[in-house]
């Protein structure tokens, strides 16, 4: 069987303090003991819709790149990028690059353009479909991502505490509908002026909809699980 160790992290996030946030992301990578670590929406800047755009070659990302290199980890973190878009950055020992742009921004995120469409990345042969927050509740987005072929659906979100049940229900629906693993990193604590408190409760769901790992609301928690998949039958 193929396997992939994945962690969903909810580190402290300070609005607009990229250097401090990167340091906390790097610490989470080192503590996670996972091949893939997922962070919440806009985790590198905090959920401040006026945050300056972040370039993947920004030198402030170097501590996170170094942590990924030292631990052989792939990190998926959130930031506003050129477009402008709300985006997911893939960070590993080789550097950082934009791998996904949010397709379904909320109407309050009018500063940002919708991304061009669904994306799937590969890590160790695992095909990982990507989403950001509101994307997870748009059935057409999950269906279009699944149509690209995915083993797991990965998302970073920011929600108010009362919506942790909504996040869980969306994750279960996607996992059961498409028979895939689902991992959602949900911000904990404060993140920006619109969110003095957030939901936390990051989690990983198995293809049957059962919970494989779940964090509490506490800032700094990491939930971890090993994803398994059957090897394709020999031809």
């Amino acid at each position: 069987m193929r396997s992939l160790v994945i962690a969903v992290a909810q580190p402290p996030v300070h609005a607009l303090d990229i250097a401090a946030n990167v340091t906390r992301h790097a610490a989470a990578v080192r503590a996670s003991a996972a091949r893939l670590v997922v962070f919440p929406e806009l985790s590198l800047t905090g959920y401040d819709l006026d945050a300056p755009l972040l370039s993947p070659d920004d030198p402030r990302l170097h501590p996170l790149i170094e942590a990924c290199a030292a631990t052989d980890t792939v990190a998926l973190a959130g930031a506003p990028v050129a477009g402008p878009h709300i985006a997911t950055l893939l960070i590993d020992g080789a550097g950082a690059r934009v791998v996904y742009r949010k397709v379904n921004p909320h109407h309050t995120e009018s500063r940002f353009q919708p991304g061009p469409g669904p994306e799937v990345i590969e890590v160790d042969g695992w095909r990982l479909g990507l989403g950001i927050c509101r994307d997870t509740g748009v059935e057409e987005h999950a269906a279009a991502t699944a149509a690209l072929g995915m083993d797991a659906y990965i998302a970073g979100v920011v929600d108010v505490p009362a919506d942790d049940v909504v996040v869980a229900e969306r994750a279960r629906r996607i996992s059961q509908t498409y028979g895939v693993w689902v991992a959602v990193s949900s911000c904990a604590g404060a993140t920006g002026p619109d969110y003095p408190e957030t939901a936390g409760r990051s989690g990983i769901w198995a293809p049957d909809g059962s919970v494989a790992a779940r964090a509490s609301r506490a800032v700094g928690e990491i939930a971890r699980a090993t994803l398994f998949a059957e090897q394709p039958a020999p031809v």
Side-chain angles (χ1 to χ4, degrees):
M1 297 183 73
R2 294 184 298 128
S3 64
L4 180 71
V5 180
I6 186 170
V8 284
Q10 46 191 54
V13 175
H14 289 183
L16 306 183
D17 194 343
I18 292 173
N21 293 334
V22 166
T23 297
R24 295 183 180 103
H25 279 55
V29 163
R30 293 180 185 276
S32 71
R35 174 63 170 138
L36 178 72
V37 182
V38 186
F39 292 96
E41 180 180 24
L42 294 176
S43 61
L44 292 168
T45 59
Y47 191 91
D48 187 323
L49 298 181
D50 295 322
L53 304 182
L54 182 66
S55 172
D57 62 4
D58 192 303
R60 290 173 292 183
L61 293 175
H62 286 173
L64 181 50
I65 294 169
E66 290 164 2
C68 289
T71 56
D72 193 27
T73 300
V74 176
L76 296 175
V81 302
H85 297 283
I86 295 174
T88 299
L89 272 62
L90 184 152
I91 301 101
D92 59 16
R97 66 184 189 275
V98 177
V99 290
Y100 177 70
R101 297 162 178 84
K102 188 175 185 178
V103 173
N104 298 282
H106 192 266
H107 69 84
T108 59
E109 300 166 340
S110 57
R111 173 192 177 194
F112 298 99
Q113 301 176 21
E119 295 286 351
V120 170
I121 60 172
E122 283 203 17
V123 175
D124 298 345
W126 284 76
R127 291 182 59 79
L128 309 175
L130 303 178
I132 298 175
C133 209
R134 186 168 178 265
D135 291 331
T136 65
V138 178
E139 174 54 34
E140 292 81 4
H141 180 270
T145 306
L148 298 177
M150 64 179 180
D151 302 302
Y153 183 89
I154 311 295
V157 308
V158 174
D159 277 301
V160 296
D163 282 350
D164 68 327
V165 294
V166 175
V167 172
E169 180 52 39
R170 290 176 177 180
R172 279 193 294 269
R173 184 173 64 249
I174 293 170
S175 64
Q176 292 175 326
T177 300
Y178 301 103
V180 298
W181 293 86
V182 176
V184 179
S185 175
S186 175
C187 189
T191 176
D194 295 329
Y195 286 96
E197 188 178 3
T198 54
R201 301 285 287 146
S202 299
I204 301 168
W205 287 260
D208 64 0
S210 62
V211 175
R214 196 90 193 267
S216 74
R217 295 194 191 280
V219 176
E221 280 202 25
I222 299 170
R224 181 190 303 103
T226 301
L227 281 55
F228 293 100
E230 296 288 347
Q231 295 281 15
V235 177

